[in-house]
Amino acid sequence: MSKPDLKIYLAAPRGFCAGVDRAIQIVELALEKYGPPVYVRHEIVHNRFVVEGLKAKGAVFVEELDEIPDTEQPVIFSAHGVPKKVPEAAESRNMFYLDATCPLVSKVHKEAQIHHKRGYDIVLIGHKGHPEVVGTMGQLPDGAVTLIETIEDARALQPKNPDNLAWITQTTLSVDDTSDIIGELKQRFPNITGPHKDDICYATTNRQDAVKAISPKVDAVIVVGAPNSSNSKRLREVAEREGCSKAFLLQRASDIDWTRFDGVEALGITAGASAPEVLVEEMIEAFQSRYSVTVEAVTTAEETIAFNLPRELRA
């Protein structure tokens, strides 16, 4: 029996960004140089496949430093960044630690510190409880940063001094939603100070732009990524906002509910910034087993950014 035709539009850029690539390299190189175990505080990136692969090589993942025994082995902080108290606690125990915080998250940390030194009240646009938000707020004393998540929060904000405000953002937000929130803040507080360059990172912006380009062409979109990955969840939302009512966030091909793809003739596929390309290939192969597939890449940007590794791991 002949297979139905399916056109797959493959978004590019997709998948690993420079910060994720660097973080994974840090764990792999630390394992090579120092041998297992290497301890990692929190998932190095939000992807179960990546984490399980590193576990198999000897990485031990913990949520807090007090889960780690006294050791001379490396302790690595995840790409999302950590509150200041974490490296301080590591130093108090004479731990050898490597910081895999994405440099673009570190940039937001520095901005927060500069605003604080200049006496500004700081507004952070982000998602409560996300490790990046916890890490950014943890750069400053309690109460120095006010978190807002929605445009309604921006409308309800009552700062102590409306003329003495600065805003920063999580790096993995929806570009459009964040723009609306910033617009509301600027309208209410015309003297509010923002970053010199947008905090939402290049990779988040590029991946959302690519999804915007494919969504009008397709009947369904699959975002390959983890349910706890902020940037992946935003990609699914962007696809929906661009008119694709069937937009799914899936970790693996085994998660596909085939009944949801009945009648689909054009499919968009992308991947969150912490999803490896092998999972995209797995997804395409799953559709090739049931459909006669043609694949067309839709490229909206070229990425050439790479970040330096910690000095201890450079060849």
Side-chain angles (χ1 to χ4, degrees):
M1 200 167 83
S2 63
K3 298 176 184 176
D5 292 335
L6 179 68
K7 180 73 172 281
I8 291 179
Y9 291 92
L10 197 53
R14 66 181 175 278
F16 280 0
C17 62
V20 164
D21 197 44
R22 172 181 180 268
I24 294 167
Q25 277 191 69
I26 287 171
V27 179
E28 291 177 336
L29 289 171
L31 284 163
E32 284 178 24
K33 183 169 182 178
Y34 303 104
V38 165
Y39 296 93
V40 185
R41 185 188 179 277
H42 192 67
E43 290 185 345
I44 188 69
V45 296
H46 283 158
N47 187 275
R48 189 192 305 159
F49 180 86
V50 171
V51 168
E52 292 300 325
L54 293 172
K55 276 184 184 177
K57 294 177 181 178
V60 177
F61 290 86
V62 300
E63 283 304 308
E64 298 298 343
L65 297 185
D66 58 16
E67 298 172 51
I68 302 173
D70 290 336
T71 181
E72 295 182 356
Q73 289 295 102
V75 177
I76 299 173
F77 304 149
S78 81
H80 311 96
V82 295
K84 262 190 173 176
K85 66 182 181 182
V86 174
E88 289 169 358
E91 286 164 12
S92 74
R93 290 182 57 188
N94 294 316
M95 286 177 161
F96 166 45
Y97 67 85
L98 298 165
D99 191 353
T101 300
C102 173
L104 298 180
V105 174
S106 297
K107 164 187 167 285
V108 179
H109 291 182
K110 289 183 184 120
E111 284 169 357
Q113 291 159 357
I114 290 167
H115 289 322
H116 185 63
K117 281 180 186 170
R118 291 175 177 169
Y120 287 110
D121 293 328
I122 299 166
V123 176
L124 169 61
I125 304 168
H127 295 294
K128 184 177 181 180
H130 189 277
E132 184 184 328
V133 165
V134 173
T136 298
M137 295 182 77
Q139 301 306 306
L140 299 177
D142 288 348
V145 181
T146 300
L147 178 67
I148 63 174
E149 299 189 78
T150 64
I151 197 163
E152 288 76 24
D153 291 343
R155 289 173 183 145
L157 183 67
Q158 297 294 334
K160 287 177 288 187
N161 184 350
D163 293 320
N164 198 48
L165 280 177
W167 60 267
I168 54 178
T169 83
Q170 186 178 334
T171 62
T172 54
L173 300 177
S174 158
V175 173
D176 294 333
D177 286 349
T178 307
S179 177
D180 291 343
I181 294 170
I182 293 165
E184 180 68 22
L185 289 172
K186 287 180 175 177
Q187 184 176 334
R188 290 194 63 212
F189 312 109
N191 294 326
I192 195 167
T193 299
H196 293 298
K197 189 178 178 187
D198 282 350
D199 288 338
I200 295 178
C201 79
Y202 78 96
T204 297
T205 303
N206 287 348
R207 279 149 191 73
Q208 289 181 20
D209 285 346
V211 168
K212 287 177 183 178
I214 64 171
S215 294
K217 303 173 185 280
V218 300
D219 306 309
V221 167
I222 291 174
V223 179
V224 182
N228 60 338
S229 163
S230 174
N231 75 85
S232 300
K233 289 195 284 189
R234 302 295 83 77
L235 291 175
R236 193 199 66 76
E237 292 167 2
V238 167
E240 271 190 347
R241 191 180 295 118
E242 293 298 310
C244 184
S245 59
K246 290 185 174 184
F248 307 106
L249 176 58
L250 303 176
Q251 297 195 77
R252 302 291 301 268
S254 56
D255 299 328
I256 298 170
D257 177 353
W258 292 104
T259 62
R260 293 185 167 190
F261 295 91
D262 288 344
V264 169
E265 297 178 354
L267 172 67
I269 296 181
T270 188
S274 48
E277 184 65 11
V278 64
L279 299 185
V280 175
E281 293 167 0
E282 176 188 273
M283 201 69 70
I284 293 170
E285 287 169 7
F287 278 92
Q288 285 172 332
S289 70
R290 291 171 176 254
Y291 294 85
S292 177
V293 170
T294 56
V295 178
E296 179 180 323
V298 178
T299 304
T300 55
E302 299 287 345
E303 293 181 350
T304 57
I305 291 174
F307 296 129
N308 287 333
L309 292 163
R311 190 177 294 106
E312 296 91 339
L313 297 177
R314 291 177 204 163

